[in-house]
Amino acid sequence: MDRIVITGGIPLHGEVEISGAKNAALPILASTILSGGECVITNLPRVVDVLTMGKLLGILGAKVQHEGNRAVIDAGTISSTQAPYDLVKTMRASVLVLGPLLARWGEATVSMPGGCAIGSRPVNLHLAGLAKMGAEVSMEHGYIRAKAKRLRGAQIYCDTPTVTGTENLMMAASLAEGTTVIENAAKEPEIVDLANFLVKRGARIVGAGTDVITIEGVRELHGSDHDVIPDRIETGTYLVAGAITRGAVTLNRCRPNHLDALLMKLREAGVELKVEQDRIHLNAASRLKGIDIRTLPYPGFPTDMQAQMVALMTAAEGTSVITETVFESRFMHVEELRRMGAEIKIEGTRAVVTGPTKLTGAPVMASDLRASAGLVLAGLAAEGTTEILRVYHLDRGYERMEEKLRGLGATIARQKEGAAQAGTR
Ligand code: UD1
């Protein structure tokens, strides 16, 4: 398996271009299933999850031409409604094909996503919503099977705001008979991007980005073009890279207004930020202050930035308390950060970080996508060499990360399997 080797302690300087949002690209690609006709999607990030979604659409029988940041898809040729385990197990977001397959083709069989490193991650709310719309949903041999001649509009209340659940239901409701109201919907910008794409294709959706989304079902949708929004988590990760190395970085082609909570927290920690419409300049202070953070659904502080902020807080003065409220066991990076010298205690859902500590390079193991990003950031700040194993997690969600960081002056390289020396763990 590949590993990433970083020699830390170099302040990062320069500019980075932000890629398209993985979490917007995935539902947008899945939604092409809802109609025939050509959909041209641009600003797709070149990451493994996006390739996997393209592959899944191909397996279902859609015509997919995917090159670089652009895909041309026509799902009029779909011949299968089954999403196999082999693909779903590599990417939980494959469950996003459930709503569109069911709404357009009357049935869907999707492998049940398993647990993962950050918790049990159920899909009960996706299923309950579809059942409310008249689908017969059952579980057989590890597969979710859903059937409905035509879905009916319904009033749906989500017990907790779920991002992919809201997206699945919004896509399904677009072709249902009558009006669907999703209450306590998730409000993430990626949901708004999906709704904008669906509306361009003839869907009638109001309220995306608020906690009540109303969808008036239509008979059919058509193809359209769409440019995916910039990735707010990638943006946040490079901001922390600048801050943790005490550097000065400019992020281009991003959407600062999707990052309000993070920008406020970085300022509270003493980081200097200059924000323009689609750019952020960061100048790290020589001293960082410890702050408290609580992850919440959007517009609260994103759980996908929690690991990166835990890494940053190891460099801040005083005690920081980071509370994870979205996922149950999302502190796998903490043990690895401790091996690099961090002082962090886990108390239930809280990580209590005492800083500043001088991190020292060590071999560490990535457990999930954002935990890996946290370890890369720690490695950039640490004295000496950090080796990060299991980097396939990073490749799922960050486009050309080493190249972008090298562009900012980091000493970072990928060792291909075989070329790597025997690791210690
Ligand atoms: C999405 C993001 C992921 C991010 C997460 C939270 C994508 C592809 N992934 O994941 O990067 O970390 O939002 O911002 O967009 N829940 C239930 N029942 C359900 C569904 C969810 O109880 O049926 C719970 C989950 O266990 C979790 C919470 O709801 O505690 C939020 O999860 P959810 O928003 O669904 O996360 P994902 O959509 O899987």
Side-chain angles (χ1 to χ4, degrees), residues 300-344:
F301 191 93
T303 173
D304 284 353
M305 280 303 300
Q306 181 257 101
Q308 299 88 318
M309 288 306 272
V310 170
L312 181 64
M313 287 302 106
T314 64
E317 278 173 31
T319 303
S320 314
V321 180
I322 292 128
T323 310
E324 174 59 59
T325 78
V326 179
F327 289 112
E328 57 195 23
S329 52
R330 204 174 196 179
F331 282 128
M332 305 286 276
H333 42 286
V334 164
E335 208 48 59
E336 303 299 295
L337 290 173
R338 276 199 200 120
R339 302 182 63 255
M340 298 175 73
E343 264 183 58
I344 310 174

Side-chain angles (χ1 to χ4, degrees), residues 22-24 26-27 92-93 96 118 120-127 160-165 167 186 188 190 232 296-297 302-304 325-328 330 370:
K22 166 183 88 75
N23 286 355
L26 296 176
R92 298 182 45 81
L96 283 165
I118 65 175
S120 71
R121 302 191 77 176
V123 289
N124 58 311
L125 299 172
H126 304 225
L127 305 186
T160 189
T162 154
V163 176
T164 48
E167 291 163 347
E188 272 65 5
E190 293 75 18
R232 63 195 165 97
L296 284 169
T303 173
D304 284 353
T325 78
V326 179
F327 289 112
E328 57 195 23
R330 204 174 196 179
R370 305 306 171 183

Side-chain angles (χ1 to χ4, degrees), residues 371-393:
S372 315
L375 296 177
V376 168
L377 297 173
L380 291 171
E383 195 182 288
T385 304
T386 298
E387 278 179 37
I388 300 164
L389 311 184
R390 295 201 184 153
V391 297
Y392 54 85
H393 289 295

Side-chain angles (χ1 to χ4, degrees), residues 1-3 389 414-423:
M1 262 182 275
D2 294 0
R3 64 181 66 196
L389 311 184
R414 178 178 295 239
Q415 282 182 351
K416 290 276 171 204
E417 186 175 19
Q421 294 166 351

Side-chain angles (χ1 to χ4, degrees), residues 129-279:
L130 294 173
K132 202 100 199 268
M133 295 167 77
E136 256 177 62
V137 182
S138 60
M139 214 66 90
E140 284 164 32
H141 310 293
Y143 279 80
I144 304 162
R145 282 177 66 84
K147 270 193 185 166
K149 236 181 168 172
R150 187 167 180 209
L151 293 169
R152 295 186 306 270
Q155 187 93 13
I156 298 167
Y157 170 79
C158 297
D159 290 333
T160 189
T162 154
V163 176
T164 48
T166 302
E167 291 163 347
N168 239 333
L169 297 175
M170 193 167 76
M171 291 187 278
S174 295
L175 290 183
E177 188 180 345
T179 302
T180 299
V181 180
I182 308 173
E183 296 198 43
N184 200 25
K187 297 182 278 202
E188 272 65 5
E190 293 75 18
I191 291 169
V192 178
D193 204 32
L194 171 64
N196 288 342
F197 179 50
L198 293 173
V199 167
K200 282 191 217 167
R201 294 165 64 198
R204 299 203 184 131
I205 302 174
V206 291
T210 75
D211 52 13
V212 182
I213 305 179
T214 306
I215 307 116
E216 201 188 307
V218 295
R219 271 258 159 224
E220 58 179 15
L221 300 181
H222 49 80
S224 180
D225 299 355
H226 193 72
D227 199 50
V228 174
I229 55 168
D231 196 309
R232 63 195 165 97
I233 306 302
E234 189 196 28
T235 309
T237 303
Y238 287 107
L239 285 175
V240 175
I244 200 168
T245 60
R246 308 292 207 273
V249 295
T250 297
L251 311 188
N252 296 324
R253 286 201 322 170
C254 59
R255 291 265 180 96
N257 62 332
H258 291 165
L259 286 153
D260 285 345
L262 174 70
L263 299 183
M264 279 189 248
K265 284 291 167 186
L266 286 173
R267 284 191 170 119
E268 192 184 326
V271 175
E272 205 182 293
L273 296 169
K274 211 172 105 206
V275 174
E276 294 170 23
Q277 197 176 345
D278 63 352
R279 243 174 200 251

